[in-house]
Amino acid sequence: MLQRPRRNRKSEVIRQMVQETHVSAANLIFPLFIVDGENQKTEVASMPGIYRYSIDNMLREVESCLKLGLNSFDLFPNIDEALKDKFATESHRDESLYLRAIRAVKKEFPEACVITDVAMDPYSSDGHDGIVENGEIINDATLEVLGKMALAHARSGADIIAPSDMMDGRVGYIRKVLDENGFTNVSIMSYSAKYASAFYGPFRDALNSAPKFGDKKTYQMNPANQQEALIEARLDEAEGADFLMVKPGLPYLDVIKLLKDNTQLPIAAYNVSGEYAMIKAAIQKGWLNNQRAITEVLTSLRRAGASAILTYHAKEVLENKWL
């Protein structure tokens, strides 16, 4: 035999020499859950090792992450039910929990990259990503709310705006609002291919943001569809997106690869709460090796084409020097 591929696998040194895919701290984005109050740190029951933080403790967590080389954070608020309404007005109120959190991070750690979530569901009394009228999600009226939200985030110091709502036309609407108000340097990381997935449950527990009725299938994508992701991605790119995201990550590696092969924009992947919970449950049972399982997951997302990975494993892998 002239060709023996095993020769390139015969030692650790050679295996590392020919390794095709690498994951580093620069590729990772750490999602953080925020609650009101002081000195609050409560674990999310379905996400071992992940916590809801009050702003003071969130700043301590950000500081510890920065020392590890983890510099990018996506913030998500747990909003009191009493503050929720049909039009998500709390989402752009100047002294809201979320806007205070953004300002606090950027004041204390201006070097940190703050990514913000633009969607109505954490603030909506209906628990949906858009305005609800007679049981229907109203697309165009929702855009105005999303625009107000995005502008409030930019004014508070957000580096990247990440609309996760899946309303048609929202990237172009938000880009126009930002540019008209002088925020031409604020980026948009669009949730371009966000699927109506079964893997979001723990996240909704963390934020208490589940829909009060029905589901999200009229705006989030059908898990059976791949080409539809190209339609969404091309529209977002044309409307001014700077990143295209696929969510969830692991069940949609083919979609990440598809988008990577059809755009010059960087691809982001969200390694979502259900994926995290699944891995952690198996690790706790002793069914999977902690380090090997987690690093394999992150490597697979990079290999498929993701430049940025939102993952709840981010701090753990850096603390343990697994990358």
Side-chain angles (χ1 to χ4, degrees):
M1 288 185 286
L2 294 178
Q3 294 298 324
R4 291 181 181 267
R6 287 184 57 192
R7 285 195 288 258
N8 285 346
R9 300 196 288 269
K10 68 184 178 183
S11 74
E12 182 64 21
V13 171
I14 294 174
R15 287 193 296 272
Q16 289 185 11
M17 183 189 302
V18 299
Q19 183 169 319
E20 299 173 28
T21 303
H22 298 270
V23 183
S24 73
N27 302 120
L28 305 180
I29 300 168
F30 194 27
L32 291 173
F33 298 131
I34 312 159
V35 293
D36 214 344
E38 295 182 359
N39 198 30
Q40 298 294 310
K41 181 182 177 180
T42 57
E43 190 171 31
V44 179
S46 53
M47 300 179 70
I50 299 299
Y51 299 85
R52 305 177 190 89
Y53 297 99
S54 53
I55 291 175
D56 53 347
N57 278 334
M58 176 199 65
L59 292 175
R60 295 183 184 99
E61 181 70 358
V62 168
E63 183 178 23
S64 69
C65 290
L66 291 172
K67 290 176 180 177
L68 296 170
L70 179 54
N71 300 314
S72 299
F73 307 90
D74 201 344
L75 308 183
F76 297 94
N78 183 310
I79 301 298
D80 190 304
E81 283 292 326
L83 297 173
K84 298 180 181 182
D85 62 31
K86 176 178 179 176
F87 298 102
T89 53
E90 181 68 7
S91 68
H92 49 84
R93 184 176 66 85
D94 191 54
E95 287 304 311
S96 69
L97 168 66
Y98 198 55
L99 299 186
R100 286 187 285 114
I102 298 166
R103 290 194 290 264
V105 176
K106 293 306 290 185
K107 179 182 178 182
E108 293 295 321
F109 309 107
E111 71 276 22
C113 176
V114 173
I115 301 163
T116 61
D117 183 56
V118 171
M120 286 180 58
D121 53 332
Y123 314 91
S124 166
S125 51
D126 294 305
H128 276 281
D129 294 58
I131 295 171
V132 179
E133 293 287 357
N134 300 317
E136 181 183 351
I137 312 302
I138 307 302
N139 192 96
D140 293 9
T142 297
L143 299 185
E144 184 177 351
V145 178
L146 300 177
K148 290 178 180 178
M149 199 183 307
L151 182 57
H153 294 182
R155 285 173 171 161
S156 297
D159 297 288
I160 301 175
I161 303 293
S164 62
D165 56 285
M166 288 299 287
M167 296 298 114
D168 291 340
R170 90 274 204 210
V171 172
Y173 189 96
I174 289 170
R175 184 74 271 163
K176 185 172 185 290
V177 168
L178 293 175
D179 289 356
E180 288 178 348
N181 285 274
F183 294 103
T184 55
N185 285 333
V186 173
S187 307
I188 295 177
M189 179 182 285
S190 176
Y191 285 62
S192 298
K194 182 177 180 180
Y195 286 85
S197 172
F199 289 93
Y200 301 150
F203 177 94
R204 291 172 182 169
D205 290 343
L207 298 187
N208 190 27
S209 63
K212 299 298 190 293
F213 68 91
D215 53 41
K216 300 190 175 187
K217 292 180 180 178
T218 66
Y219 47 99
Q220 294 179 356
M221 287 177 52
N222 184 341
N225 292 355
Q226 184 188 66
Q227 293 301 311
E228 187 180 1
L230 270 182
I231 296 172
E232 292 281 4
R234 285 168 175 162
L235 286 170
D236 288 352
E237 183 168 0
E239 291 175 22
D242 301 288
F243 300 77
L244 305 176
M245 189 195 296
V246 177
K247 180 183 179 182
L250 284 179
Y252 299 93
L253 295 177
D254 60 321
V255 179
I256 296 170
K257 180 69 164 63
L258 179 68
L259 297 196
K260 178 66 175 177
D261 289 345
N262 284 277
T263 182
Q264 297 302 308
L265 291 181
I267 305 300
Y270 201 145
N271 179 212
V272 299
S273 61
E275 298 169 44
Y276 176 90
M278 205 166 46
I279 292 284
K280 283 297 183 181
I283 289 167
Q284 287 182 343
K285 288 284 190 181
W287 296 338
L288 293 176
N289 175 275
N290 199 18
Q291 176 180 353
R292 291 185 62 193
I294 292 170
T295 54
E296 186 173 340
V297 165
L298 299 180
T299 301
S300 73
L301 294 166
R302 281 285 286 141
R303 189 184 64 244
S307 299
I309 303 170
L310 289 84
T311 178
Y312 302 96
H313 299 295
K315 186 179 182 185
E316 180 181 8
V317 296
L318 296 176
E319 279 183 321
N320 289 291
K321 298 181 171 59
W322 289 345
L323 299 182

